[in-house]
Amino acid sequence: MSQYLREQIRQVGEKFRANGLRWTEPRRAVVEVLVSSAGRHPTAAEIYRIVRQRYPKIGRATVYRTLDLLEKLGIIRHTFLQRAVPGYVFLHQGTHVHVICRKCEKVLELPDVPTQEILPQVQTITDFIIEGGVFELYGMCKSCQTQS
């Protein structure tokens, strides 16, 4: 695991402690799966399956409660990305963009797209303080365009 990923996990642990929450090994394992699966957006069932390989006695409810807690803390967000079951996105650096092909469902994740221009407008219109998020843009990828 890279130093960058270890640092991301450490920061999540700090956020847990700062909110008076216990930073347990099962919670850490869930975060490790999320951090190391950038661009894949695993479902809760997939996360459970992976974490269970390391902690065979972990209950499904523990994984689901941890995901719920991570979402309440603003560390992850669920996204459907044209699926019936939500996958989870680790909100590592504020906002990032998903570009999704409506035909083949290919998903590109663009974490470094500047969104600074739109965020002040959204804040003004909504009276929200924007902390981060995920933009989902839909269209047709180049491969599907040539097939049409």
Side-chain angles (χ1 to χ4, degrees):
M1 182 178 299
S2 74
Q3 181 61 34
Y4 173 77
L5 295 180
R6 281 194 292 275
E7 177 61 20
Q8 295 294 306
I9 294 165
R10 187 191 66 72
Q11 288 176 11
V12 172
E14 283 182 6
K15 191 161 190 172
F16 266 70
R17 287 187 211 85
N19 283 278
L21 301 166
R22 293 184 324 131
W23 182 234
T24 64
E25 282 301 312
R27 285 176 172 173
R28 180 186 171 92
V30 170
V31 171
E32 284 177 6
V33 171
L34 289 161
V35 168
S36 62
S37 63
R40 291 197 320 261
H41 313 105
T43 65
E46 291 166 339
I47 294 166
Y48 171 67
R49 184 179 39 78
I50 294 167
V51 171
R52 195 155 185 240
Q53 292 171 0
R54 186 164 159 196
Y55 295 98
K57 293 184 180 182
I58 193 168
R60 187 180 314 267
T62 299
V63 172
Y64 280 76
R65 281 193 305 265
T66 300
L67 291 170
D68 188 50
L69 186 56
L70 289 165
E71 193 157 13
K72 286 178 182 170
L73 291 171
I75 296 167
I76 65 171
R77 288 285 178 258
H78 68 272
T79 180
F80 286 92
L81 292 175
Q82 296 186 303
R83 295 187 296 196
V85 179
Y88 290 88
V89 178
F90 183 74
L91 299 177
H92 41 84
Q93 296 278 331
T95 59
H96 66 273
V97 176
H98 290 142
V99 182
I100 305 152
C101 179
R102 286 206 178 271
K103 189 169 184 184
C104 71
E105 298 184 0
K106 176 181 181 178
V107 178
L108 296 178
E109 184 173 303
L110 308 170
D112 297 324
V113 172
T115 55
Q116 301 91 312
E117 294 175 18
I118 193 171
L119 295 181
Q121 294 172 27
V122 172
Q123 289 183 145
T124 300
I125 293 167
T126 63
D127 241 354
F128 275 60
I129 295 174
I130 305 298
E131 298 169 349
V134 178
F135 287 93
E136 294 182 4
L137 304 172
Y138 297 91
M140 198 179 311
C141 70
K142 188 168 189 127
S143 177
C144 290
Q145 290 173 40
T146 58
Q147 293 173 7
S148 294

